[in-house]
Amino acid sequence: MAENITFRTQLIGGVTEFCQDSQLHFLSNALHLVELIVMLAHYREEGVSLFPKVYLTNDKHTLTAMLPDGEVLKIGTSGADVTGIKSAVKKCAPLATNGWLIYIEPSDGCIAYGLFKGSGNPISVLVDDVLMTESEGFFVVKASQIADDCVEIRSNRGGQHFIFLNHRKEDSPPPLQYLGQLIASITEKTPEDDKEPTISFLNRLFVGALRESHGCIIAVTNMAKPPRILSDDGVILEEPIDFSRLVFDLKKECIDPSHLESKGHLLKGMLNSDGIILFDNKGRLLGYNCFVKVNNKDNVIGGARKRAFASIKSKIGRGLSAAFIQSQDGWTDFKGMNNE
């Protein structure tokens, strides 16, 4: 008799230790987390892809109390089983946008679920920087899709895994592993007092925007003016968008948070445009829709975006200090001044 072969058994074995270490009683049945992972890997509602972040916790009150200006909205309850998890995600996922996150709190044989968020201030501390620190008696596990068929699971007890539900090899780098290096290159020469909130804002902005992007290339220059290799064929802003300065002005309450956020929306639009986006290392967005001449003799395997990335990588140290690429399926590469 034919026997089915699935990844489910292997996945259960792979996350069992993580579940035990998380100290969440609800995850003593590892199948609960497995079903959530499978669900989030390519979650869709009404034909639209959604990317909710789900936090399993033993105490939603502590969850929100830890966040500055935290808010919580209870949606409902259901059975403490796989069906209950699916119901919770289905009812909350369409609402889990613009900073709203899903919580699931098992209690007394059922689960309560709903939405929560941290401060609406765009330069506030990142939610995970607060929640993913170990706290006595408080346990939380986060699950979220970070690329096509890739889900990150993370516990405030220290565990973290990237689950690939495709043919990727076990030693494949995690998606967005180079994002920190890109942001470090963009903020290299920003004032020290403004660097941390600028990094926090750009991190929050890029994580969301790159997840919705269909692929992009971002270059960083350490020159006073945009290098000709990009400025000759591209849109160079007459007045750069200075994110570091905007962060400074927001800290001093000279501008409303919406002013900084509106500039972030412009960057999101640029990430969905053709061509290369150009920053300098002072936190300023210089231009977008930039193109470079591609050398077809480089023997690069892939499409136009990979060939363009290969071309600008060769300019590192000669007008550019960093180059970053994200492919259409969410995988990234990076090159910096010191072969980073």
Side-chain angles (χ1 to χ4, degrees):
M1 183 177 178
E3 221 177 288
N4 293 334
I5 299 176
T6 74
F7 62 83
R8 191 175 300 269
T9 301
Q10 184 176 355
L11 186 52
I12 291 173
V15 303
T16 294
E17 185 176 351
F18 171 90
C19 291
Q20 293 171 347
D21 292 344
S22 75
Q23 299 184 44
L24 273 173
H25 179 70
F26 182 65
L27 295 185
S28 58
N29 183 349
L31 184 61
H32 291 157
L33 184 58
V34 168
E35 291 295 337
L36 181 60
I37 291 168
V38 173
M39 193 185 320
L40 296 179
H42 33 71
Y43 193 82
R44 296 173 70 86
E45 286 284 354
E46 301 296 331
V48 178
S49 295
L50 300 176
F51 313 104
K53 297 179 177 66
V54 181
Y55 292 75
L56 299 162
T57 182
N58 67 321
D59 187 350
K60 76 170 185 291
H61 297 295
T62 298
L63 186 81
T64 52
M66 292 176 68
L67 300 172
D69 302 319
E71 299 179 62
V72 63
L73 176 66
K74 183 177 179 179
I75 298 296
T77 59
S78 59
D81 52 23
V82 168
T83 301
I85 294 173
K86 290 181 177 179
S87 177
V89 174
K90 182 176 180 62
K91 291 180 180 179
C92 294
L95 310 181
T97 61
N98 297 316
W100 285 100
L101 311 162
I102 299 174
Y103 76 83
I104 296 177
E105 180 189 33
S107 177
D108 298 328
C110 67
I111 59 173
Y113 57 86
L115 299 143
F116 74 100
K117 67 180 300 186
S119 170
N121 191 321
I123 60 173
S124 62
V125 177
L126 297 174
V127 167
D128 284 358
D129 286 349
V130 177
L131 297 184
M132 290 301 158
T133 55
E134 188 168 343
S135 180
E136 186 175 354
F138 173 66
F139 312 118
V140 62
V141 166
K142 173 190 176 184
S144 64
Q145 185 200 120
I146 56 173
D148 289 349
D149 294 323
C150 181
V151 174
E152 178 191 20
I153 54 173
R154 187 178 175 190
S155 165
N156 72 332
R157 298 291 126 177
Q160 183 180 25
H161 296 293
F162 297 96
I163 312 296
F164 303 139
L165 282 82
N166 54 27
H167 63 281
R168 293 278 173 173
K169 297 179 179 178
E170 291 184 359
D171 59 352
S172 294
L176 295 184
Q177 72 161 351
Y178 300 112
L179 182 57
Q181 289 163 277
L182 169 65
I183 294 174
S185 298
I186 292 173
T187 58
E188 180 186 4
K189 296 297 183 181
T190 57
E192 285 300 321
D193 289 345
D194 304 321
K195 183 170 291 190
E196 186 174 339
T198 303
I199 289 173
S200 181
F201 171 74
L202 290 176
N203 190 302
R204 181 183 287 109
L205 178 62
F206 273 123
V207 166
L210 289 174
R211 190 64 201 85
E212 299 172 11
S213 171
H214 299 297
C216 66
I217 298 177
I218 301 171
V220 183
T221 181
N222 53 1
M223 298 177 65
K225 295 182 179 180
R228 290 190 60 186
I229 56 170
L230 293 176
S231 63
D232 283 353
D233 187 7
V235 179
I236 302 301
L237 302 177
E238 185 174 335
E239 184 176 342
I241 298 175
D242 191 338
F243 286 110
S244 177
R245 179 67 195 186
L246 288 167
V247 166
F248 172 82
D249 289 342
L250 180 56
K251 285 171 56 182
K252 297 297 184 181
E253 300 183 347
C254 298
I255 61 172
D256 189 79
S258 63
H259 189 69
L260 174 58
E261 290 173 330
S262 70
K263 296 300 189 292
H265 293 320
L266 291 176
L267 175 57
K268 288 183 178 180
M270 295 175 188
L271 285 166
N272 282 311
S273 302
D274 291 334
I276 300 164
I277 295 173
L278 179 63
F279 279 86
D280 68 11
N281 60 356
K282 298 178 182 178
R284 302 190 306 164
L285 175 55
L286 305 181
Y288 72 105
N289 204 217
C290 301
F291 295 89
V292 293
K293 292 182 179 179
V294 174
N295 186 352
N296 292 322
K297 297 180 180 179
D298 287 340
N299 295 321
V300 175
I301 299 174
R305 185 176 289 121
K306 283 190 176 181
R307 293 196 297 272
F309 180 65
S311 180
I312 64 171
K313 276 201 307 183
S314 68
K315 307 300 181 183
I316 300 296
R318 294 184 292 156
L320 297 178
S321 57
F324 171 94
I325 184 175
Q326 177 183 271
S327 65
Q328 189 169 357
D329 63 357
W331 304 91
T332 59
D333 197 2
F334 175 86
K335 183 174 176 60
M337 288 285 284
N338 299 314
N339 294 319
E340 300 148 315

